[in-house]
Amino acid sequence: MSTPSASAGAPPQLPLGQAAIVTLGVIVVIAGFVALGAWLHVTPLYAGFLLLWAWSALHQLSMRALPGALIGALTGAGMSFLLQTGAATGNTALVIAALLLMVGAVFLVVAGRATLVCNQSTMLFITVLNAPVIQKGEDFRQVIVAITLGALWFGMVAWVISRIVPAPSTAAAAS
């Protein structure tokens, strides 16, 4: 019988000292993003963190995947903005158009088409940004700024770290 950490495909455990250093680094990066957002008066920073989650969990912070994660996030936010605007102004046609765009996006994701625009990030942002509490009072222009700021900040940090920290060798990864 194997333990969960010994199962195939499980990431190796970091020594406690390294885990503490990584945790401290994460805290510094998050604090930097919060400070930057406060300095620029961008309030819905959760949108930037949501992009970070999508990019890190779905793509392991791959720099090649960042454009798709960003474009998908902006697409989902844009559709959610259309829905909010239509609902707030009583514009039934805009609400229907937004819903049809969302259904079309789901179709494209299921079909595996237009993946740069309609992808897992798009679906995540549509799901989260259409929660009634967010739809009711969020300024989606600020959400779009926060998503873009998050892509710039976290992308820059990941790029800098990739230049400082050596990539794991294939021999070390195979062991």
Side-chain angles (χ1 to χ4, degrees):
M1 179 169 276
S2 65
T3 63
S5 63
S7 64
Q13 291 183 343
L14 283 177
L16 293 178
Q18 286 180 354
I21 291 169
V22 169
T23 301
L24 180 61
V26 168
I27 291 168
V28 169
V29 169
I30 288 172
F33 183 60
V34 170
L36 181 61
W39 181 60
L40 295 173
H41 304 288
V42 177
T43 54
L45 291 179
Y46 71 88
F49 286 117
L50 192 60
L51 174 68
L52 173 63
W53 182 89
W55 181 40
S56 65
L58 301 173
H59 305 290
Q60 293 72 46
L61 299 176
S62 163
M63 293 303 288
R64 294 183 69 204
L66 180 57
L70 173 60
I71 292 168
L74 293 173
T75 300
M79 286 187 242
S80 300
F81 175 67
L82 288 177
L83 183 62
Q84 180 200 48
T85 301
T89 61
N91 186 335
T92 305
L94 189 54
V95 169
I96 291 170
L99 293 173
L100 288 174
L101 283 171
M102 289 177 193
V103 170
V106 170
F107 173 78
L108 291 171
V109 169
V110 170
R113 304 290 194 281
T115 57
L116 182 64
V117 177
C118 295
N119 52 44
Q120 296 164 324
S121 183
T122 310
M123 296 298 105
L124 176 65
F125 276 81
I126 286 173
T127 300
V128 172
L129 296 181
N130 283 293
V133 70
I134 292 174
Q135 275 287 317
K136 187 175 181 179
E138 189 60 87
D139 178 354
F140 276 82
R141 294 167 296 192
Q142 283 285 303
V143 168
I144 290 168
V145 169
I147 292 168
T148 306
L149 183 64
L152 292 170
W153 175 258
F154 295 120
M156 179 200 62
V157 168
W159 182 82
V160 167
I161 289 172
S162 74
R163 299 293 179 241
I164 296 170
V165 177
S169 67
T170 53
S175 61

